[in-house]
Amino acid sequence: MNVNIESLDFKADKKLLDFIEKKVDKLTKFYDGIVSADVKLRLEKEESKENKIAEIKLNVPQSDLFAKRNSTTFEEAVDDVVEALRRQLKKHKEKLMRR
């Protein structure tokens, strides 16, 4: 699977990039038909505690799956997004099996 990571308004360090790739790669355990993943990391302009946003769009055959979460850290936001996508992948896989 091809993972494209884009950080807007800041430079993500290698540790964060490796963490994201590792987490996104784990999604292939639930559905091996994932073509690619587009990850976007952003900082909200507002100075609130939960100003770190992670968005992931998974390209799978016949569909695209998307999730977006914000949190106090990028790692936590990515964990939340990956969990949401895991649930979506399971539903998508069940839907395909019913056809």
Side-chain angles (χ1 to χ4, degrees), residues 2 5 8 13-15 19-20 25 27-28 36 39 44-45 48 54 56 61 63-64 73 87-88 91 93 95:
N2 185 23
I5 303 172
L8 307 172
D13 64 348
K14 176 123 175 75
K15 185 178 172 186
F19 174 82
I20 293 168
D25 280 339
L27 289 172
T28 58
S36 67
V39 181
E44 261 187 6
K45 299 289 184 204
S48 65
I56 300 178
S63 184
D64 285 341
T73 66
R87 289 191 301 268
Q88 288 182 38
K91 286 181 185 177
K93 190 175 178 180
K95 189 187 235 182

Side-chain angles (χ1 to χ4, degrees), residues 22-50:
K22 184 175 148 189
K23 286 290 185 176
V24 172
D25 280 339
K26 285 185 180 180
L27 289 172
T28 58
K29 289 181 186 176
F30 304 101
Y31 184 66
D32 60 356
I34 301 170
V35 177
S36 67
D38 297 320
V39 181
K40 289 187 182 175
L41 304 173
R42 283 189 293 138
L43 284 170
E44 261 187 6
K45 299 289 184 204
E46 301 172 16
E47 289 301 317
S48 65
K49 286 185 178 182
E50 295 188 352

Side-chain angles (χ1 to χ4, degrees), residues 36-81:
S36 67
D38 297 320
V39 181
K40 289 187 182 175
L41 304 173
R42 283 189 293 138
L43 284 170
E44 261 187 6
K45 299 289 184 204
E46 301 172 16
E47 289 301 317
S48 65
K49 286 185 178 182
E50 295 188 352
N51 68 338
K52 294 170 181 72
I53 302 171
E55 301 175 2
I56 300 178
K57 177 180 153 190
L58 290 181
N59 300 312
V60 294
Q62 303 174 359
S63 184
D64 285 341
L65 305 177
F66 178 81
K68 174 182 174 180
R69 298 288 187 273
N70 37 321
S71 188
T72 55
T73 66
F74 282 115
E75 290 84 0
E76 196 175 314
V78 168
D79 276 339
D80 293 346
V81 170

